[in-house]
Amino acid sequence: MPTVDDILEHIGEFNFFQKQTFFLLCLISVAFTPIYVGIVFLGFTPDHRCRSPGVAELSRRCGWSLAEELNYSVPGPGPEGQCLRYAVDWNQSALGCLDPLAGLAANGSPLPLGPCDQGWVYDTPGSSIVTEFNLVCADSWMLDLFQSAVNVGFFIGSMSIGYIADRFGRKPCLLITILINASSGVLMAIAPNYTSMLIFRLIQGLVSKAGWLIGYILITEFVGLNYRRTVGIFYQVAFTVGLLMLAGVAYVLPHWRWLQFTVTLPNFCFLLYYWCVPESPRWLISQNKSAKAMKIIKHIAKKNGKPLPGSLQSLRPEEEVGEKLNPSFLDLVRTPQIRKHTLILMYNWFTSSVLYQGLIMHMGLAGSNIYLDFFYSALVEFPAAFIIILTIDRIGRRYPWAMSNMVAGAACLASVFIPEDLYWLRVTAACLGRMGITVAYEMVCLVNAELYPTFIRNLGVLVCSSMCDIGGILTPFLVYRLTDIWHELPLVVFAAVGLIAGALVLLLPETKGKTLPETIEEVENMQRKKKSSKIY
């Protein structure tokens, strides 16, 4: 019986239909960016101070900068994180500009302190959720909760929607996630209070990442073997393009509600994919729906302007003929090789997330322009895609993937021993680590889909990738708490987990030049074929 890859060799592995579908699905990847990293602009915290009666007038009279004004407005946090202000009368005409506190404190005695009960003043021309809901001082943890909510949604959505997509189909699940994502995004933009905004943010997390990964699975199942890795890489490059576009849109729209509304609206256009993107024929075959699969294959052949040979117009599943295959979480650990794949992939997803986000947090972008800093950091990701393209067909998947993890780990370890005065060398090591982990991040997404049979491929990718959400939740604690103990301790941890991840990758089979596995037996035989090739 011919496989889908056999048929695609005749009707086109990457012709007009695949190019059109690839472009449409890449737009989903671009639109996912504001949800994944949009908190940088939605929740930025500008310079701020307690609103103290009279201090603003004194500041204007003396020509103070905001930093100088803060010295007299906010002496520091009090018990339980409560911010305090000087409880004094700043309207006295005798106060001087050089040291007004000297005129307020009698005989050098400390000034009385009081709670920041007059509101806040923010130094920003726009707005964020921080400035609108005053998420500073004792309430700053609410911003952390807002950031964590989307990662919690990613985790839950990956586990549940992955199963639904493998059980009921890629296309209907994709359309449902698009609708929910777009609706919750608009509702978040008009949310009247913090609680409702947090709920809609959580809902976005539940569906948005799952929709992004379903789009990735669809495009890899539509193209032929020779183009599968290329579309997988450039699907992720589209995410990087989204990073650059987000920086520009956020610069033009510095008010968070308008920004949220603008980046959400395009998602409604994706509902038109109901007429443009068909169901995956590979999934239909795995569900014993060969007639529907053949109808879509004929549609692809017509779009590509290629005739479909009569000998290839008969399909059926290679496993359990006549029986519909239903995915199960147990299928990810039931057999030895798939169980090994699952555990190693989960650890690598976790490592990629921790190092990718952790290096950004630890390095800290120089300068005060949030838009330029974000733009420059996004540019670093482009070379990673070209490194993969140049090496993946010549060397394979395993060795570049393992090396990228090890380079990231080694760069973190080297940074520990680089002196502070060699700033350029420290920045170089940090960029090298960022480059390495970006390659690893893109590689794990590519290879994950190649190590599972069709009927659990979507479930396998989403379950394994859910570990990057766990990493996203834990990374701030790893960075900030360990830094309190020793500034370089997070880099030591990053180095250890990166080097271990690289070693574990070497235990996986090479997927270069292999068709997507359709059955459990094919996956189990991957490692056996590798061992046999060494013997003979």
Side-chain angles (χ1 to χ4, degrees):
M1 284 292 177
T3 65
V4 174
D5 286 318
D6 295 331
I7 295 176
L8 289 177
E9 289 181 3
H10 289 81
I11 66 175
E13 292 183 296
F14 193 65
N15 282 23
F16 178 78
F17 170 82
Q18 286 92 345
K19 291 175 182 177
Q20 173 185 278
T21 305
F22 173 66
F23 173 77
L24 294 175
L25 294 176
C26 277
L27 295 179
I28 293 178
S29 186
V30 172
F32 176 60
T33 302
I35 302 170
Y36 192 74
V37 297
I39 187 63
V40 174
F41 302 109
L42 297 176
F44 73 91
T45 305
D47 290 334
H48 55 281
R49 63 173 174 84
C50 289
R51 189 185 301 276
S52 300
V55 73
E57 288 73 13
L58 181 61
S59 175
R60 283 193 290 270
R61 176 166 66 85
C62 296
W64 291 338
S65 66
L66 180 66
E68 292 174 308
E69 187 177 336
L70 282 170
N71 291 332
Y72 302 108
S73 301
V74 189
E80 300 181 357
Q82 181 184 15
C83 286
L84 304 175
R85 65 178 178 85
Y86 292 114
V88 296
D89 181 11
W90 292 97
N91 293 314
Q92 300 178 30
S93 59
L95 295 180
C97 294
L98 294 179
D99 190 8
L101 296 180
L104 292 170
N107 301 323
S109 60
L111 293 173
L113 301 177
C116 187
D117 54 3
Q118 301 293 322
W120 295 88
V121 176
Y122 299 95
D123 182 29
T124 175
S127 68
S128 71
I129 62 173
V130 171
T131 63
E132 181 166 337
F133 299 107
N134 292 322
L135 307 183
V136 293
C137 202
D139 292 330
S140 60
W141 65 271
M142 299 174 74
L143 178 62
D144 300 333
L145 180 61
F146 182 81
Q147 297 181 33
S148 298
V150 71
N151 282 293
V152 172
F154 288 163
F155 177 74
I156 298 174
S158 297
M159 302 294 285
S160 57
I161 297 178
Y163 175 83
I164 295 172
D166 277 330
R167 182 71 183 272
F168 300 104
R170 277 58 158 150
K171 180 178 177 178
C173 195
L174 177 66
L175 294 172
I176 291 172
T177 58
I178 288 171
L179 178 60
I180 297 175
N181 180 30
S183 301
S184 58
V186 170
L187 291 172
M188 177 182 154
I190 61 176
N193 52 59
Y194 172 83
T195 302
S196 57
M197 179 188 65
L198 184 67
I199 292 173
F200 295 131
R201 181 69 168 173
L202 175 63
I203 294 173
Q204 270 200 308
L206 287 171
V207 297
S208 57
K209 181 192 169 187
W212 182 84
L213 284 169
I214 291 171
Y216 175 82
I217 293 294
L218 270 173
I219 192 58
T220 58
E221 292 185 341
F222 275 129
V223 302
L225 172 64
N226 295 325
Y227 294 91
R228 193 171 68 225
R229 58 92 181 172
T230 304
V231 298
I233 294 169
F234 279 97
Y235 186 78
Q236 296 173 80
V237 170
F239 177 86
T240 304
V241 173
L243 294 175
L244 302 179
M245 295 177 63
L246 177 62
V249 175
Y251 178 77
V252 175
L253 299 171
H255 298 275
W256 81 270
R257 290 188 183 273
W258 285 110
L259 175 61
Q260 173 67 18
F261 192 72
T262 301
V263 299
T264 299
L265 279 182
N267 286 276
F268 285 103
C269 299
F270 300 150
L271 294 174
L272 298 175
Y273 289 4
Y274 176 84
W275 293 277
C276 304
V277 179
E279 182 58 88
S280 166
R282 296 181 192 269
W283 177 81
L284 290 170
I285 293 171
S286 73
Q287 299 299 299
N288 198 24
K289 298 179 179 180
S290 299
K292 292 183 178 180
M294 184 53 60
K295 182 178 180 180
I296 292 174
I297 288 173
K298 291 178 180 178
H299 170 74
I300 295 174
K302 182 179 179 180
K303 281 279 189 179
N304 290 343
K306 301 281 187 177
L308 181 63
S311 60
L312 299 179
Q313 296 191 20
S314 177
L315 286 170
R316 66 179 181 182
E318 296 181 13
E319 182 180 280
E320 300 181 30
V321 177
E323 182 178 345
K324 181 178 177 180
L325 300 178
N326 294 321
S328 167
F329 288 103
L330 289 177
D331 291 325
L332 301 179
V333 294
R334 194 189 309 274
T335 56
Q337 293 304 319
I338 291 182
R339 179 167 57 248
K340 182 179 72 173
H341 296 175
T342 299
L343 295 176
I344 294 176
L345 288 168
M346 290 175 74
Y347 180 79
N348 269 268
W349 275 106
F350 176 84
T351 299
S352 297
S353 177
V354 169
L355 266 69
Y356 181 84
Q357 298 183 44
L359 285 175
I360 296 175
M361 293 180 186
H362 192 268
M363 178 181 178
L365 297 176
S368 58
N369 191 317
I370 186 176
Y371 306 103
L372 284 179
D373 289 346
F374 190 87
F375 183 84
Y376 292 148
S377 67
L379 288 177
V380 179
E381 299 190 11
F382 281 104
F386 294 103
I387 290 174
I388 294 175
I389 292 173
L390 292 174
T391 60
I392 201 170
D393 279 340
R394 294 173 175 83
I395 303 175
R397 272 70 157 158
R398 279 197 314 149
Y399 293 117
W401 184 12
M403 184 60 65
S404 63
N405 275 308
M406 293 180 179
V407 166
C412 292
L413 189 60
S415 298
V416 176
F417 302 100
I418 299 176
E420 291 288 343
D421 53 346
L422 294 178
Y423 178 74
W424 65 271
L425 188 57
R426 292 180 65 88
V427 172
T428 301
C431 290
L432 186 62
R434 172 77 181 273
M435 186 84 66
I437 202 58
T438 301
V439 172
Y441 220 149
E442 295 187 6
M443 195 72 79
V444 67
C445 194
L446 171 68
V447 178
N448 201 152
E450 299 177 334
L451 290 176
Y452 286 105
T454 298
F455 83 103
I456 58 169
R457 183 170 298 125
N458 207 72
L459 181 65
V461 171
L462 290 174
V463 169
C464 291
S465 68
S466 67
M467 291 306 297
C468 80
D469 307 322
I470 300 297
I473 295 171
L474 296 179
T475 299
F477 298 97
L478 288 174
V479 174
Y480 300 124
R481 299 297 150 239
L482 295 181
T483 301
D484 290 341
I485 301 173
W486 176 36
H487 186 266
E488 308 301 339
L489 185 55
L491 293 178
V492 176
V493 175
F494 296 161
V497 297
L499 292 172
I500 293 173
L504 290 175
V505 166
L506 296 175
L507 300 178
L508 294 173
E510 178 59 66
T511 57
K512 172 189 171 185
K514 296 181 179 179
T515 60
L516 287 175
E518 301 290 344
T519 66
I520 291 178
E521 282 73 13
E522 290 180 14
V523 177
E524 291 298 306
N525 289 331
M526 279 183 170
Q527 200 75 19
R528 296 176 192 142
K529 291 178 181 178
K530 175 187 170 185
K531 293 178 181 178
S532 299
S533 64
K534 288 184 178 180
I535 295 174
Y536 297 104

